């Protein structure tokens, strides 16, 4: 193996001065599939899933992969084959998870705004459980399940009011947030659930935020929800599961230590054992974050009196994390180089927020060179858009010496596919 860039991301390394994904040189992939290009390592996805499974083996948790992190069908499928379920947050994600072969009973469905149509679809699929986030949702779910003559299994999402010490946009378990119910309200909601027709109480759910640096918020939250869990366990025999959500972090920076899974296990497992419910988790980023990179080609290097800009063919529409959260992603040259210069790494989009890095020591690349934005496997393509009418990037999956085009690059025709009217009809707006 060659020189890796990030801890626990062994799938991306330099061999003979060329960046590789497993056994494949990135230059070859860029040559064959073009840029911008998302490249995923299946070995890394499998390794991370196994790390979780083995470290937590004593509790044999059910692991529901959070599809929102990366909805690429080929990755969801690979995880399903390994035994993972899925955590979905929309009808579309449920559709993708089912299409990729995840058995319905291994699917949990969260989200504060499930529509009637989405609830109908999920009931029809007989999913494992609904993560219910409000009392009105509970009422709607009961009414729909009754009409269909089925039972809806539910876990109520509790909001334990714990500060996860992460970006405000991705903190979800604090009392001001729109997610879940506080512990007192949750107890009343469970009583209501028990009285409602066609509802079966299946468990308790929480998700604190993302990414979390260590196990402390989980321990704090478990201590807070333990009394509720014990109360539920003793009253409702169908209540068997405690879902801790996702949030486990990954290294984004060189020399940053990986999330300490052993410490997480040491904090979580004894507490869950005392509570006496079966552990479930919904990791997204931990599994796929460092399984992906975004490869881009340098179009120009431009200098003004103050700054140097590396202008690439990838933009904020491909990866929005740096401008949206101030997130740090390492940026490396696909052809290894010792030479560096200070630069902003930016895209072609007409906004100053269109950057991957600002005023940073960057590899001294030139027009035509390839760069890789690291740690782009989670919330990269899944948050991509068509802004500036840019087709979304292609996605390839590498597995050892094999390569699969998981999703082709979008064409300009794809951009207008959903616009039904032909241009010849544009002037003829009709009456309703
Ligand atoms: N379960 C629930 C209910 C969630 O809301 C989330 C993430 C997860 C699981 C998975 O969290 P993970 O293990 O991936 O941290 N776009 C942001 C992250 C938003 C996370 C939203 N919810 C980012 O790019 O950092």
């Amino acid at each position: 193996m060659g020189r890796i860039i990030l801890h626990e991301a062994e799938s991306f390394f330099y061999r003979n001065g060329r960046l590789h994904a497993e056994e494949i040189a990135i230059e070859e992939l860029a040559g064959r599939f073009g840029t911008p290009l998302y490249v995923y390592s299946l070995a890394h996805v499998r390794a991370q899933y196994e790390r979780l499974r083995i470290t937590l083996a004593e509790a044999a948790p059910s692991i529901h992969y959070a599809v929102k992190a990366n909805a690429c069908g080929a990755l969801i499928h690979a995880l399903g084959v390994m035994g993972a379920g899925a955590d979905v947050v929309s009808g579309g994600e449920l559709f993708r998870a089912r299409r990729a072969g995840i058995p319905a009973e291994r699917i949990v469905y969260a989200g504060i705004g499930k529509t009637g149509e989405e609830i109908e679809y999920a009931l029809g699929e007989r999913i494992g459980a609904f993560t219910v986030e409000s009392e009105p949702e509970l009422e709607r779910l009961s009414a729909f399940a009754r009409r269909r003559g089925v039972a809806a299994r539910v876990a109520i999402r509790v909001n334990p009011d714990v500060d996860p010490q992460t970006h405000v946009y991705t903190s979800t378990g604090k009392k001001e947030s729109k997610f879940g119910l506080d512990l007192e309200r949750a107890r009343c909601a469970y009583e209501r659930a028990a009285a409602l027709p066609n509802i079966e109480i299946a468990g308790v759910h929480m998700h604190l935020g993302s990414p979390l640096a260590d196990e402390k918020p989980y321990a704090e939250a478990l201590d807070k929800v333990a009394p509720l869990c014990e109360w539920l366990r003793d009253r409702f025999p169908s209540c068997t599961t405690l879902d801790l959500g996702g949030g486990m972090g990954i290294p984004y920076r060189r020399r940053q230590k990986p999330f300490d899974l052993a410490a997480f296990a040491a904090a979580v497992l004894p507490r869950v054992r005392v509570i006496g419910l079966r552990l479930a988790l919904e990791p997204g980023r931990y599994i796929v974050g460092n399984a992906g990179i975004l490869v881009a080609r340098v179009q120009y290097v431009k200098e003004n009196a103050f700054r140097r800009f590396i202008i690439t063919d990838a933009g904020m529409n491909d990866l929005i994390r740096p401008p949206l959260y101030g997130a740090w992603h390492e940026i490396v040259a696909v052809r290894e180089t010792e030479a560096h210069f200070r630069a902003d790494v930016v895209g072609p989009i007409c906004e100053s927020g269109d950057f991957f890095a600002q005023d940073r020591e960057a590899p001294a690349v030139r027009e035509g060179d390839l760069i890789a934005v690291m740690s782009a496997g989670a919330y990269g393509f899944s948050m991509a858009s068509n802004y500036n009418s840019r087709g979304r990037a292609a996605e390839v999956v590498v597995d050892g010496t094999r390569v699969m085009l998981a999703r082709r690059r979008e064409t300009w025709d794809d951009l207008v596919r959903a616009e039904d009217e032909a241009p010849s009809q544009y002037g003829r707006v009709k009456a309703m």
Side-chain angles (χ1 to χ4, degrees):
M1 195 201 275
R3 191 170 70 74
I4 65 168
I5 297 150
L6 296 162
H7 283 296
E8 278 190 2
E10 297 86 355
S11 293
F12 296 99
F13 55 85
Y14 286 109
R15 181 188 286 156
N16 304 327
R18 302 285 192 273
L19 186 66
H20 280 65
E22 303 189 28
E23 295 306 313
I24 308 285
I26 298 299
E27 279 179 353
E28 277 179 43
L29 293 174
R32 179 151 152 216
F33 300 107
T35 52
L37 181 69
Y38 273 97
V39 180
Y40 305 131
S41 156
L42 216 43
H44 186 80
V45 170
R46 293 198 190 101
Q48 291 297 95
Y49 181 79
E50 279 301 290
R51 270 187 182 123
L52 273 172
R53 212 181 53 76
I54 289 165
T55 316
L56 303 169
E58 178 199 322
S62 44
I63 300 176
H64 307 275
Y65 167 62
V67 169
K68 61 177 80 69
N70 187 323
C72 175
L75 301 187
I76 302 173
H77 174 79
L79 285 162
V81 169
M82 295 184 79
D87 156 49
V88 302
V89 75
S90 68
E93 285 191 356
L94 174 55
F95 173 74
R96 280 181 178 279
R98 292 292 292 127
R99 188 168 179 272
I102 304 286
E105 67 273 13
R106 284 196 229 145
I107 297 178
V108 292
Y109 182 3
I112 61 169
K114 301 177 193 81
T115 64
E117 191 186 358
E118 289 175 315
I119 289 174
E120 284 285 8
Y121 174 41
L123 284 172
E125 290 288 304
R126 305 270 192 278
I127 62 163
F130 289 82
T131 303
V132 170
E133 308 228 16
S134 68
E135 296 90 347
E137 183 192 336
L138 195 57
E139 303 287 333
R140 185 187 281 184
L141 186 56
S142 165
F144 276 60
R146 188 180 194 177
R147 220 167 47 215
R148 266 187 179 262
V150 296
R153 290 167 46 76
V154 307
I156 290 178
R157 177 166 180 176
V158 300
N159 183 331
D161 191 25
V162 166
D163 185 353
Q165 308 278 344
T166 191
H167 197 281
V168 285
Y169 291 178
T170 56
S171 297
T172 50
K174 282 172 59 175
K175 62 177 182 305
E176 336 41 290
S177 110
K178 66 180 182 177
F179 300 98
L181 297 173
D182 67 51
L183 291 168
E184 270 318 299
R185 291 256 312 258
R187 210 177 268 244
C188 300
Y190 274 112
E191 272 170 347
R192 178 71 184 139
L196 279 172
N198 302 67
I199 295 286
E200 182 181 311
I201 296 171
V204 182
H205 179 280
M206 62 178 147
H207 170 75
L208 304 172
S210 169
L212 307 194
D214 60 41
E215 70 289 353
K216 289 187 195 77
Y218 295 98
E220 191 186 333
L222 279 171
D223 292 339
K224 283 189 156 180
V225 301
L228 172 72
C229 293
E230 285 156 18
W231 178 80
L232 283 166
R233 187 197 61 202
D234 296 341
R235 281 181 65 132
F236 306 111
S238 62
C239 183
T240 53
T241 307
L242 171 54
D243 188 332
L244 266 186
M248 297 78 139
I250 54 161
Y252 277 99
R253 292 172 186 256
R254 284 177 217 267
R255 288 179 284 280
Q256 183 183 344
K257 290 219 183 73
F259 185 84
D260 190 341
L261 212 50
F264 174 82
V268 166
L269 297 187
R271 287 178 165 87
V272 175
R273 200 179 314 124
V274 171
I275 289 171
L277 296 178
R278 165 127 196 257
L279 179 64
L281 292 169
E282 299 172 350
R285 186 188 324 260
Y286 186 80
I287 295 178
V288 293
N290 271 327
I293 62 173
L294 172 61
V295 181
R297 199 173 288 280
V298 176
Q299 297 299 311
Y300 306 98
V301 177
K302 165 176 172 174
E303 282 167 52
N304 65 22
F306 306 98
R307 290 282 249 266
R308 179 187 286 121
F309 298 96
I310 298 171
I311 304 170
T312 75
D313 60 3
M316 68 191 280
N317 73 301
D318 297 299
L319 176 70
I320 201 172
R321 300 192 72 255
L324 188 56
Y325 310 116
W328 179 282
H329 287 256
E330 293 292 351
I331 294 173
V332 302
V334 167
R335 245 177 225 213
E336 198 171 17
T337 168
E338 291 303 313
H340 281 71
F341 52 35
R342 251 195 131 63
D344 285 23
V345 183
V346 303
I349 285 178
C350 53
E351 296 211 23
S352 296
D354 179 28
F355 60 83
F356 298 122
Q358 287 182 305
D359 198 18
R360 183 189 294 185
E361 280 305 307
V365 287
R366 284 191 302 216
E367 188 172 322
D369 288 350
L370 292 167
I371 60 146
V373 184
M374 306 302 292
S375 313
Y379 308 105
F381 189 92
S382 67
M383 294 178 82
S385 76
N386 289 120
Y387 187 40
N388 277 199
S389 285
R390 287 165 47 83
R392 282 177 297 172
E395 296 176 287
V396 295
V397 172
V398 174
D399 188 8
T401 55
R402 289 174 304 169
V403 174
M404 180 187 138
L405 178 62
R407 186 186 162 104
R408 67 163 172 78
R409 181 175 310 286
E410 284 178 351
T411 63
W412 291 339
D413 278 328
D414 289 329
L415 295 177
V416 296
R417 189 137 292 150
E419 293 180 21
D420 289 339
E421 300 293 348
S424 60
Q425 299 298 307
Y426 284 169
R428 314 206 183 142
V429 182
K430 298 177 205 93
M432 284 278 280

